[in-house]
Amino acid sequence: MNEKSVRVKTADGEMLTYTYWPDGDGPFPAVVLYMDAPGIREELFDFCRRIAGHGYYVLLPDMYYRRGELRFDSAKMGDPATGERDRMFDAMNSLSNKLVMDDTQGLIDFLATEGNAKDGPMGCLGYCMCGQYVMSAAGTYPDHFAATASMYGVGIVTDQEDSPHLLAPNVKGELYFAFAAEDQYVPEHVIPDLKAALDANGVNYNLDVYPATDHGFCFPARPAYVEDAAEKVWAIIFDMYKRTLQS
């Protein structure tokens, strides 16, 4: 396994990005892992290694780079007195679809110069706050993203003019959505509204709601972790990537 941190040029500076790719002959299809709200941490590095182990060149951008290299202490998240949770949400709310799509263009430009990354269709995945951003990537860069996965994504359907679901007419690739059965961050209207937009535009997608799960069920380090559901999600993602990115 190869691991390297790089500085990707964006419209707003340089974005620290962690890259992973397998040993052996490349180049390898590219996959972008958009982080969740707690940001860069070892758990995401493990996810990247797992994806790279299936034959992909993986990028993990530090999306909070405009504020420096923010790192949060998960042990303090449960205690409001520490302010750690508020600091995390403040960082999360500093992002927008436009900013993240600008950063995604930087990633695409970087990949064009990276010999270990294969030209052609790309994949992406995102958890929690980045459900909105992977949907936006699929609709903003449809000629690049052929396989997109969102796990209990938030902000995918909103009443704002930049709501990601409004990009459904642009999507050319395959989408997968995994939602939790109970999720305080995903209003009840989101799934039916999302399905309606995707169906109306003939988008190739699959959407599952996992019984007896809550927000965060894919992360082993969280109390909400449900191994069977998390492993099923991985299996579906890897099957989609194999079909769309390795042909």
Side-chain angles (χ1 to χ4, degrees):
M1 181 70 63
N2 301 280
E3 304 180 10
K4 181 181 180 181
S5 61
V6 298
R7 299 278 176 176
V8 171
K9 292 183 179 179
T10 72
D12 291 327
E14 293 187 337
M15 178 169 61
L16 177 61
T17 301
Y18 300 88
T19 65
Y20 301 78
W21 67 98
D23 293 328
D25 296 332
F28 305 97
V31 172
V32 180
L33 171 56
Y34 291 87
M35 69 193 200
D36 58 339
I40 299 299
R41 60 194 187 281
E42 191 64 31
E43 190 169 29
L44 293 185
F45 297 155
D46 288 341
F47 279 15
C48 289
R49 295 179 186 114
R50 181 168 185 171
I51 299 167
H54 281 254
Y56 301 97
Y57 182 94
V58 186
L59 304 97
L60 172 64
D62 185 347
M63 298 165 61
Y64 295 147
Y65 73 96
R66 293 176 180 84
R67 297 191 167 200
E69 292 185 19
L70 299 183
R71 300 295 180 265
F72 301 108
D73 187 344
S74 60
K76 296 180 179 179
M77 289 292 184
D79 182 359
T82 67
E84 195 74 350
R85 188 175 178 85
D86 290 340
R87 195 165 71 98
M88 179 192 72
F89 278 116
D90 182 60
M92 181 186 76
N93 292 329
S94 72
L95 298 176
S96 68
N97 287 313
K98 181 183 184 306
L99 290 177
V100 177
M101 291 308 97
D102 287 348
D103 294 344
T104 299
Q105 182 63 63
L107 294 171
I108 292 170
D109 293 342
F110 166 77
L111 286 168
T113 70
E114 174 50 60
N116 294 301
K118 185 178 180 180
D119 291 337
M122 299 168 52
C124 66
L125 68 163
Y127 301 81
C128 182
M129 76 167 184
C130 280
Q132 61 191 309
Y133 301 134
V134 296
M135 179 66 198
S136 293
T140 304
Y141 302 104
D143 293 325
H144 292 276
F145 289 101
T148 298
S150 163
M151 279 59 72
Y152 39 87
V154 303
I156 299 173
V157 177
T158 73
D159 60 1
Q160 301 300 306
E161 63 180 12
D162 67 343
S163 179
H165 81 292
L166 298 177
L167 295 171
N170 301 341
V171 175
K172 297 179 181 179
E174 183 175 345
L175 307 181
Y176 178 65
F177 299 91
F179 286 98
E182 302 292 335
D183 195 333
Q184 62 177 320
Y185 302 108
V186 178
E188 291 185 2
H189 70 87
V190 168
I191 292 177
D193 287 357
L194 175 59
K195 284 183 174 181
L198 298 173
D199 290 340
N201 290 282
V203 176
N204 180 13
Y205 77 97
N206 287 289
L207 187 153
D208 292 319
V209 178
Y210 286 81
T213 61
D214 205 335
H215 191 87
F217 72 86
C218 288
F219 284 96
R222 294 192 185 177
Y225 180 57
V226 179
E227 184 176 6
D228 288 349
E231 288 301 314
K232 183 177 180 181
V233 169
W234 277 120
I236 291 171
I237 291 172
F238 286 132
D239 179 67
M240 178 175 65
Y241 286 171
K242 185 175 182 179
R243 283 185 285 102
T244 57
L245 306 183
Q246 293 189 346
S247 59

